Every structure is written in structure tokens, then in C-alpha cells.
Amino acid sequence: EEGRRRCVLKELPDEPTKAVDWSKLPAHLLRQIAELLVVDVADYVHFRAVCTTWRSAAVDPRRRPPQLPWLLLHHDRNTNRLYFFSFSDAKTHSIRLPDRACDCHICLSCDGWLVLKKASSRICLLNPLSRTLLELPPVFNLLRAPQLRRSYQDITSDIMKRYNVRAIAMSSNPRARQHWTILAIFRFMPDLPVLASLRLSDRYSWTLIDHSTMYDDVICIKETFYTVNEAGQVAVFNSRLEKMAMVGSPTRTSIFFRTWRLVESSGELLVLRNVVHSNPTVDKKNPNQHPVYSTDRVEIFRLKSIAEKLCLVTAKCLDDQILFVGFGRSFVRPATSYPPARRNSIFLAEEYDFMRNDNLLCRIESGEYNFGDEIMEPLPYDRVEYESMGYTSIWHSPSL
């Protein structure tokens, strides 16, 4: 009986496997799936890339909650790919740059866009997820301003192109192209800082704002721009870039703290600096290695209005938030969005920079610093891969 049954089964024709048309899934089911993909933007991008039906069912990118930042670890120029570490899934993601950006140096990140400097010395903005590339007008044209020409008559065309971008803030997403303003900090020479603006109403050219102050950082909060100089003073600019106030007394400059940073926290401005130990670690077996400074403490101040006067008040805690602090842009996120983090955690990205008042290039260690107990611990990623990068790391907030 069993043999006859096997014979009958053998003679039955094989039924063809039916292909599943995933684009035919019910719209309400696709929307439910898309609404769950709010933690990691990489999953959200993959979901939208399946087909037009899935893309239309996805949540509007502008309504997505702020993502945990990615940490840019490495730019492989051979393959023209960027490697990011994602704190959402503890994985490294690889994104290929557009061919037009193959000769670019990555300067920093701003509101979901990477700021790149091309071999031609022009800068451009790149959204690595959408691969949108926007080229900005030449920056070195700023040095033709009469007030700079009078002060720096020996500026050559070579010096004009050897600038670096210290910080950039944008009033809105540049893709909107409406009422879009950039305020940027450039450094052409150690003694030539430039604060400049760019907006469509200015015929799309850079305008010199100030060249007498060493600014460290800039940020835009609700159409108000804030800058902080190397003495820890905060300048407030309105939407027309008119200086409305200067807050704080000059702080004595020390070579033992890093650049001042500006961070937005629920519409409030935080001003902070990383104070490092005065004695760096030097590897005697490898004298060519950079001296390494470690964090002693992090100081944080809040911009408050007291008796109708703006002032900087020392912060005692982070109110169940965590900070991601680094060169170019820093972020605040709820501690609940990253469960492994402790309350009052500050994630410090590794930096390579010159110490103040010194020509010594050094490395400032990365780590997770607890603002409450002042304990520093390593960041959760592959140290070998990360240290092979060899230049300052960058926090990047992925956005569409």
C-alpha cells in the first residue's frame, strides 16, 4: 500500500510555485509596517526602495521623529564609499557617494547634509541617503571684500583656496529653496576667521558678516542664529542676521579645553566645552604618533532669560537626555531612544586638532562621559576600524 502510494505521488505533476507580488499587499498593512520603522532610518530607506506602492505607503519623511545620529567612521576613496556606525542597530552602514563627489573632502555635517570641499576648493552639500548634491558659490570670493583687502593685502590666490570650514548652520532644508539662509564659520589662516552668510535673496553669493572674531560654532533655532566665540561669549542674530545681543563674559582661553559647542535642547540653547587633562599620553615607542588628550570634565551652560536679560546658567543635569558632541554638529536625544545609554550620558566623538596657542596636532579621545559621576567609558564600536580613519570623526543625523 505504501509503495503504491509513493508511485501515485510520483506520477502527480509538480505544481508550479506561485511568485508573490509584494506590491499587492493591502495599503493599510503597508502603512502599519511603515509606522513601525521609525527607529532606524536605514530600514525606512530600504522599505521605501521596494517599489512605488511601498514608497507611497511610507510615512512622510518630514514627520519622522529625530533619529539617533550616525558616526562617520571612514571615507574609502578607492571605492568612494562612506562608512557610518549606527547607534540604533549597532551596525556599520556603507553608502556610496555620487561620482561628482569622488574628489571631495568631508568637512562636517549639518541637519542631515554633509558639507564637502571639492578639489576645486568649492564646497557643496550632500544628502547621503537621497544622494542629492548641491554646489555652493565660491567661498574664496569673500576675500575680495574691501575690508579684508585693506587688512590682508598679501593674500594670494593659493591662500584663498586653503580655507577650512569650522561650522555651518541652516535656517531650513536647502531642498525647499525658500527663505533659505546659511551662516558659516571659515578659517583662511590661523589669524583670519570669517563669519559669512549665504541666501537666495543675495543673488546666491556669500556675504561677509565679521572677520575680527574667532568663532567656534554656530546654530539656528527657530529662525534665530547663535554663535559662540573662543572666549565662550554667545552672539544672537535675528533672521535678517542683525546682531541682537552678546551674552556672557569673556572666559580665559586655555589650551586644555576644546572648542565651544552649541546644542539645541527642546528649543533651548546649550553651550558646552570639553575640558581635557593637561598632561597628554605620549607613546614613547611610536614618537610619530599624535599625543592623546583625555576628558577631565564637560561643562554645560543654558541660555536663559532672567529679568528680561539673557544670561548663561550652569547646568547641573541633562534632564533624562543624552548628548552626542563632536566637530561640526552636536545633538540632544531622549535617553529612552537609546536604552544602553545611562541617564546624563554624553557621547564624545574622537577629534584631531591643534591645541590652543600651540602648533601641536593632537588627538582627543572619544568615549561615553557620564555628566553626573564624571566617568568616561569607551564607545560601543570596533576600535580597530575606527582608528584607521586618521582624522576627526563626525556625527551625522540621517534625514530624507
Side-chain angles (χ1 to χ4, degrees):
E1 179 69 24
E2 181 64 25
R4 194 171 68 185
R5 202 162 123 216
R6 281 200 304 269
C7 184
V8 171
L9 290 175
K10 185 176 180 180
E11 292 174 356
L12 290 176
D14 294 333
E15 292 189 10
T17 303
K18 293 183 179 180
V20 178
D21 187 354
W22 294 103
S23 65
K24 300 298 184 181
L25 287 178
H28 72 278
L29 182 58
L30 288 173
R31 285 194 294 269
Q32 290 180 14
I33 297 173
E35 289 174 358
L36 297 175
L37 302 177
V38 296
V39 176
D40 184 25
V41 71
D43 292 337
Y44 181 78
V45 170
H46 294 154
F47 179 90
R48 287 168 54 92
V50 171
C51 62
T52 55
T53 303
W54 286 41
R55 184 181 180 88
S56 61
V59 181
D60 185 343
R62 292 170 295 183
R63 294 193 291 109
R64 289 176 52 79
Q67 302 295 294
L68 284 175
W70 289 356
L71 189 62
L72 176 58
L73 300 179
H74 181 59
H75 178 197
D76 188 335
R77 294 185 178 276
N78 294 325
T79 60
N80 200 27
R81 301 188 74 88
L82 301 178
Y83 292 87
F84 297 90
F85 178 83
S86 169
F87 279 75
S88 299
D89 57 10
K91 294 180 180 178
T92 300
H93 298 280
S94 168
I95 297 178
R96 191 177 186 278
L97 291 175
D99 292 338
R100 288 192 297 155
C102 63
D103 63 343
C104 290
H105 168 73
I106 301 168
C107 301
L108 46 87
S109 175
C110 179
D111 300 337
W113 295 76
L114 293 175
V115 181
L116 313 179
K117 184 178 179 183
K118 304 185 73 174
S120 63
S121 293
R122 297 187 65 151
I123 61 174
C124 53
L125 302 177
L126 169 70
N127 186 319
L129 294 183
S130 67
R131 295 173 61 82
T132 303
L133 186 69
L134 303 175
E135 190 165 300
L136 304 183
V139 172
F140 46 82
N141 287 345
L142 283 166
L143 298 183
R144 296 191 174 95
Q147 55 268 51
L148 283 179
R149 276 299 184 187
R150 287 193 296 268
S151 302
Y152 300 90
Q153 299 179 3
D154 57 346
I155 294 178
T156 65
S157 59
D158 184 53
I159 291 177
M160 287 181 180
K161 296 182 179 180
R162 288 206 319 261
Y163 65 89
N164 61 63
V165 189
R166 302 291 296 181
I168 277 184
M170 298 188 293
S171 62
S172 60
N173 191 318
R175 294 189 68 177
R177 295 284 181 154
Q178 295 177 346
H179 311 294
W180 175 46
T181 302
I182 287 180
L183 191 60
I185 301 170
F186 303 107
R187 195 73 55 85
F188 285 87
M189 296 184 293
D191 61 342
L192 179 49
V194 171
L195 180 68
S197 67
L198 174 68
R199 50 187 172 187
L200 295 181
S201 58
D202 293 336
R203 295 184 180 179
Y204 206 51
S205 62
W206 292 96
T207 301
L208 179 66
I209 303 296
D210 184 15
H211 70 283
S212 61
T213 306
M214 290 288 185
Y215 292 99
D216 277 352
D217 203 1
V218 59
I219 195 171
C220 184
I221 304 176
K222 298 178 180 179
E223 298 187 354
T224 299
F225 287 91
Y226 301 87
T227 64
V228 59
N229 62 25
E230 63 176 1
Q233 295 175 296
V234 176
V236 184
F237 296 83
N238 60 20
S239 59
R240 297 185 298 275
L241 298 180
E242 300 168 335
K243 186 182 291 186
M244 306 301 294
M246 178 68 79
V247 186
S249 301
T251 302
R252 183 177 64 86
T253 300
S254 167
I255 66 169
F256 302 124
F257 70 80
R258 301 308 308 132
T259 304
W260 290 94
R261 307 292 188 197
L262 299 177
V263 191
E264 178 186 1
S265 175
S266 302
E268 181 182 60
L269 181 68
L270 302 183
V271 185
L272 60 91
R273 64 176 178 176
N274 177 14
V275 183
V276 301
H277 290 286
S278 58
N279 295 319
T281 301
V282 179
D283 190 346
K284 295 181 180 180
K285 295 182 179 180
N286 299 292
N288 294 328
Q289 293 291 327
H290 302 298
V292 179
Y293 284 84
S294 58
T295 296
D296 177 55
R297 66 186 185 278
V298 177
E299 298 176 347
I300 302 178
F301 305 88
R302 300 181 187 273
L303 183 66
K304 294 285 190 179
S305 178
I306 300 178
E308 299 184 352
K309 181 179 179 181
L310 291 175
C311 57
L312 295 174
V313 179
T314 302
K316 301 298 183 181
C317 67
L318 296 178
D319 299 328
D320 291 325
Q321 294 179 316
I322 52 179
L323 295 183
F324 296 86
V325 179
F327 182 79
R329 182 49 53 94
S330 302
F331 306 92
V332 169
R333 295 291 184 264
T336 54
S337 65
Y338 185 50
R342 298 172 298 175
R343 182 176 177 267
N344 281 331
S345 287
I346 302 175
F347 293 88
L348 300 168
E350 187 172 71
E351 295 186 46
Y352 288 82
D353 203 357
F354 290 92
M355 293 305 286
R356 294 189 185 275
N357 305 325
D358 199 341
N359 287 325
L360 180 65
L361 183 65
C362 65
R363 177 166 67 88
I364 296 88
E365 278 190 321
S366 63
E368 179 185 350
Y369 175 84
N370 187 270
F371 190 56
D373 56 24
E374 299 184 354
I375 294 177
M376 189 81 158
E377 296 181 357
L379 290 181
Y381 50 67
D382 184 354
R383 296 289 303 174
V384 176
E385 178 185 17
Y386 180 62
E387 291 182 348
S388 67
M389 184 182 64
Y391 60 86
T392 296
S393 57
I394 298 170
W395 292 114
H396 174 72
S397 180
S399 173
L400 294 171

